[in-house]
Amino acid sequence: MLRRENVDILFLQETYFRHHRIPSLFARDFATWAQSSHTSVSRGVSIGVKRGLPFQICSQMIDPEERFVFIRGSLYGSLITLVNIYSPNINQVKWLVGTLQRLHSFREGSVILGGDFNLGLDHPLDSTSPQGKHTPSQIRKVRLALAAHQISDAWRISHPQGKDYTLYSAVHGTYHRLDYLFVSNHLLERMESADIGSITI
């Protein structure tokens, strides 16, 4: 799948990787890795960079709770910060705002932030549920924290009124978009497309 889609930078959540060991399946094609691992099978995030891509890591920050990885480096000679997050399924707002505050002092250059937020940012467009789990004021806090980094939801920019989802809840019979990719605003004019593919894993 990765070869078919010609993936250059890979963000994984809930990796289940243990002791910072990357399975050989990924190691062949992705030469640069930054990752967290955890004894719990419900955590772990990784960022993989394809072999041959001119990316150099300058520094990284890994969450002690194994829910985020920040990488600061250069790509084609430009400063860039890659961020992969996996928000907990409780207290998401507090966690996300706190994590973005930590990013504020770490980041340099353009930002690409992706991951599983475990909450919808644009109800009802991001969910078929009758009502959102979080209040408008809670969502506003997360939105303001994201806006402070001058980054935008790449998919929503491309599909202003679109409805597509990344999770199906069999228990409730509802669909949700909980996974996001945010990019620095100045990169938006260079974006060719932003799409949600089929869930294959």
Side-chain angles (χ1 to χ4, degrees), residues 95-106:
W95 185 89
L96 284 165
V97 170
T99 300
L100 290 168
Q101 287 173 344
R102 297 179 72 173
L103 175 62
H104 186 74
S105 59
F106 179 87

Side-chain angles (χ1 to χ4, degrees), residues 30-121:
F30 291 82
T32 303
W33 284 90
Q35 71 155 343
S36 67
S37 58
H38 199 271
T39 54
S40 167
V41 297
S42 64
R43 301 187 195 176
V45 291
S46 298
I47 298 175
V49 180
K50 191 175 183 179
R51 192 180 305 278
L53 197 69
F55 178 76
Q56 293 183 329
I57 295 179
C58 297
S59 60
Q60 60 183 357
M61 181 186 292
I62 296 175
D63 175 28
E65 296 296 318
E66 318 294 355
R67 288 193 175 275
F68 71 68
V69 172
F70 301 166
I71 303 178
R72 189 169 59 214
S74 64
L75 180 62
Y76 293 107
S78 297
L79 289 174
I80 189 169
T81 301
L82 303 177
V83 181
N84 188 12
I85 64 174
Y86 174 48
S87 173
N89 56 19
I90 57 171
N91 298 322
Q92 297 96 323
V93 173
K94 181 179 179 181
W95 185 89
L96 284 165
V97 170
T99 300
L100 290 168
Q101 287 173 344
R102 297 179 72 173
L103 175 62
H104 186 74
S105 59
F106 179 87
R107 61 163 290 180
E108 284 187 5
S110 302
V111 173
I112 298 176
L113 181 156
D116 184 346
F117 282 37
N118 256 321
L119 87 170
L121 292 173

Side-chain angles (χ1 to χ4, degrees), residues 123-133 164-178 199:
H123 192 82
L125 289 179
D126 285 345
S127 175
T128 60
S129 177
Q131 63 182 41
K133 182 179 177 181
D164 204 349
Y165 311 104
T166 61
L167 174 75
Y168 172 68
S169 171
V171 174
H172 300 100
T174 54
Y175 291 88
H176 307 271
R177 184 167 75 106
L178 305 179
I199 297 174

Side-chain angles (χ1 to χ4, degrees), residues 137-186:
S137 63
Q138 288 177 312
I139 298 301
R140 194 176 304 115
K141 286 182 182 178
V142 177
R143 285 179 164 277
L144 288 173
L146 289 162
H149 289 280
Q150 298 183 3
I151 56 178
S152 296
D153 178 352
W155 189 85
R156 181 57 64 201
I157 291 292
S158 297
H159 310 271
Q161 297 300 314
K163 293 187 177 185
D164 204 349
Y165 311 104
T166 61
L167 174 75
Y168 172 68
S169 171
V171 174
H172 300 100
T174 54
Y175 291 88
H176 307 271
R177 184 167 75 106
L178 305 179
D179 303 88
Y180 295 87
L181 186 70
F182 278 75
V183 300
S184 290
N185 292 339
H186 67 268

